[in-house]
Amino acid sequence: MKKIVVIISVVLISLVIFFSILSSKRQNSILLAPTEANVGIKKPKANFGNNINAKNIYVKQPFPTDIPNEEQCKELNYKQYQLRDNNERDIELKASQAFKNGYTAKQVAEAIWFSSYWSVAKTWYDKAALAESVEKLFPILQSIPNSERLIAQYDYVNAPDLNITTVVDYTDLLDILWKNLPTDTIYKKVSSTNTSAVEIFNEIERTFSEIPYDVLNNNQLSPLNSILNLLLTKQQLQSAIMLLQRYPDLKLSDVSFDNKLALNFLTIIGGEDYEITNPTEHKLFLTLLGLLEKQVFYQKITHPWFSNEEVNKGVEKLNNEGIVIKIVLVDDIEKPSPILQLNIKEYNLTDEQQLDLKKCQSTTDWLISRELTPNEIETFKDQPFIAKIKSSPEFKHCKNKKVLQNSPLIKSQMTSVSKITRRVRVVVLSSFHNSYSQTAGG
């Protein structure tokens, strides 16, 4: 049976912390070939400014040579993994204790951010805010069909003689509550160009009629969040407006960590094929959603394999239509002082170990520094090396490769939603065993 799909953001927390960034770049990428030696490699800057005629000169980085042996690198990576694991356990334990002692998800998350990273605080907040809503509406949730596992988990976590040291993530258990809903008809009507907004709205109401209103009207629990994603993707904004008028508490909260839905909507609007055909409807939809009065906190991701550049593109598109979105980059502001201190112990490698680990990672960094999208390559002058790349069949393949848009969306209607696309990596080099100069230009 067809189901509505939610675009899933699959950024593992370990990768997010590792790259200091939760992503996905739309364009395909080209991997440039090796040359010569250093640590601290940086990717050449591409010019995406207003002066589209200004071209940069591509500067080749030397291939790193001063690297510890493979066994040493494995040892250092394992040691760092152990230290991070200890750190995460300490954060989870202290945060869980504070949460049980009556501090809100927002207050504890702010304390985590102050002591650690935004991404760690954001991930913890998502599951804690969900747990708060489950606690609040549990008497109603247990009346919904298929709630047996949710009830069992809730009873287990709240057993008086059990000392749970983590906050339970109810995402998958909540997904079970609506996994069997007949949502395929909604998808067909939303995808049709001959279905009225009222008919789509009525079909949504019919499909979710067995779910209590208080659950549908809760911005943390509601499966209607995925419906709003679908309606925006298909630009069925009249139906989306009717839905927000019927369920006003789906409006975004003012909590800085509560940005999942906002970023997903901006990502959809920032998509390459998305055009704002009716600015008035968009403005009303975003007003009812609370996005125009909210400060959207987010962490910019620029790693070649994980990117959220569509967020800025979405903001830019809306700004061009006179719809102003307030974006706050978390890396550009000071961490707010929390009302509690978690006193998290720091676990770090020694300075010498950190330097050696950086050397171990320098080869990977070198490869990443040379991985550019076709659009980025176009920003460089046609010097011999760049000209050779642009005339290659690999470049033409990446340039012409079409990424599927609006691919069927599902897993959990409660999961983090953000569009992910795969990037095709093409190695433009003749051989790692021969001289690199002919293909990579030295």
Side-chain angles (χ1 to χ4, degrees), residues 140-141 143-144 178 208-217 247:
I140 300 175
L141 287 168
S143 70
I144 300 175
W178 15 86
F208 292 94
S209 60
E210 293 186 6
I211 308 298
Y213 178 85
D214 286 347
V215 174
L216 294 176
N217 196 37
Y247 302 98

Side-chain angles (χ1 to χ4, degrees), residues 72 75-77 79-81 83-84 346-359:
Q72 289 175 312
E75 219 171 283
L76 285 168
N77 275 297
K79 178 69 174 175
Q80 186 184 53
Y81 170 80
L83 293 176
R84 282 178 178 160
E346 286 194 29
Y347 300 88
N348 294 312
L349 296 171
T350 65
D351 291 344
E352 184 179 355
Q353 288 173 326
Q354 288 181 24
L355 179 59
D356 285 341
L357 184 61
K358 188 176 181 181
K359 290 179 180 179

Side-chain angles (χ1 to χ4, degrees), residues 350-401:
T350 65
D351 291 344
E352 184 179 355
Q353 288 173 326
Q354 288 181 24
L355 179 59
D356 285 341
L357 184 61
K358 188 176 181 181
K359 290 179 180 179
C360 289
Q361 295 167 344
S362 59
T363 301
T364 300
D365 292 341
W366 182 89
L367 290 169
I368 291 171
S369 76
R370 296 171 71 90
E371 186 173 280
L372 303 171
T373 67
N375 284 346
E376 288 171 333
I377 290 176
E378 291 286 4
T379 67
F380 294 107
K381 291 183 178 180
D382 281 340
Q383 55 206 97
F385 173 49
I386 294 297
K388 190 175 185 68
I389 295 298
K390 290 170 68 174
S391 64
S392 69
E394 293 89 351
F395 178 83
K396 291 174 183 176
H397 170 78
C398 285
K399 189 77 173 175
N400 296 326
K401 186 75 175 176

Side-chain angles (χ1 to χ4, degrees), residues 130-145:
L130 198 60
E132 283 181 330
S133 291
V134 168
E135 179 72 32
K136 179 182 177 182
L137 295 179
F138 184 72
I140 300 175
L141 287 168
Q142 62 184 337
S143 70
I144 300 175

Side-chain angles (χ1 to χ4, degrees), residues 4-9 122 126-127 129-131 133-134 137 141 150 169-179 208 211 215-216 218-227 229 250 260-261 410-418:
I4 297 176
V5 207
V6 174
I7 307 176
I8 306 175
S9 174
K122 159 70 180 156
D126 284 344
K127 66 177 181 179
L130 198 60
S133 291
V134 168
L137 295 179
L141 287 168
L150 176 66
D169 187 349
Y170 285 102
T171 299
D172 290 338
L173 294 173
L174 288 165
D175 184 47
I176 295 173
L177 300 184
W178 15 86
K179 71 174 184 178
F208 292 94
I211 308 298
V215 174
L216 294 176
N218 182 285
N219 69 345
Q220 289 292 332
L221 300 176
S222 182
L224 296 179
N225 287 333
S226 65
I227 301 297
N229 277 283
L250 292 181
K260 185 166 54 180
L261 204 58
I410 211 175
K411 198 242 174 212
S412 172
Q413 303 191 38
M414 307 304 304
T415 325
S416 168
V417 276
S418 99

